[in-house]
Amino acid sequence: MTPACSLPEKLGIWRLGKPIHFGNESVVAAAQPVDAQHSPRWDYAVKFATGDCGREAIDRAISAASEVNHPNVVPVLDGDPAGTNPFVVMPLLAGRSMQWHLQHDAEKPLPVVLWFVRQLCQALHACHSASWTHGDVKPDNILVADN
């Protein structure tokens, strides 16, 4: 699926809003519960598969979420790995990718950089302790939350 393709209107109980990210095998879109039709809030992100590798990633994310619980790992709230459009639902977090920070932000002081790296290492340790690996750690896949 490319940005020119249309998104599904809903997946499960989730209405999809504007696209947030287009990947090779998945798309992430803002979302809200279907019954929140007139709400201005889009507090969730739905990642859905657009290819076979994306389908496998959705299935792994749902399985890993049942075993990994850490403040630096985005929680999975809902999902369907088996449907026509496999998807996973997460809270929509305010922030920017590490890639954005590397390209646009001024150099950060060493203590701030070390704080970011420490949190990333803690998140990966939580995954590895539960026998899971991320498999695609890169600046585009690391979110630096606004808080």
Side-chain angles (χ1 to χ4, degrees):
M1 180 175 281
T2 63
C5 294
S6 63
L7 301 175
E9 189 174 311
K10 71 176 199 155
L11 290 170
I13 65 163
W14 304 96
R15 175 187 348 281
L16 300 186
K18 70 176 185 169
I20 298 169
H21 177 74
F22 288 91
N24 292 334
E25 295 287 335
S26 63
V27 173
V28 178
Q32 63 180 201
V34 170
D35 62 0
Q37 186 169 2
H38 299 293
S39 173
R41 297 182 58 160
W42 296 85
D43 295 331
Y44 304 92
V46 172
K47 179 178 183 177
F48 63 96
T50 59
D52 289 337
C53 290
R55 179 179 294 274
E56 293 169 15
I58 297 296
D59 189 37
R60 281 193 315 273
I62 292 170
S63 296
S66 68
E67 298 177 32
V68 178
N69 182 13
H70 190 274
N72 295 330
V73 176
V74 179
V76 170
L77 306 173
D78 188 18
D80 178 7
T84 305
N85 288 73
F87 68 93
V88 62
V89 181
M90 304 158 282
L92 181 60
L93 303 175
R96 297 192 183 264
S97 73
M98 181 60 73
Q99 184 65 40
W100 184 91
H101 283 277
L102 291 171
Q103 292 175 338
H104 298 95
D105 224 358
E107 268 189 45
K108 297 195 181 327
L110 182 59
V112 173
V113 172
L114 292 174
W115 179 242
F116 288 163
V117 171
R118 178 180 182 202
Q119 291 179 74
L120 174 61
C121 290
Q122 289 171 336
L124 292 172
H125 177 71
C127 292
H128 296 168
S129 294
S131 298
W132 287 96
T133 58
H134 186 281
D136 197 18
V137 178
K138 61 185 179 185
D140 260 343
N141 290 341
I142 300 168
L143 180 69
V144 179
D146 288 346
N147 64 354

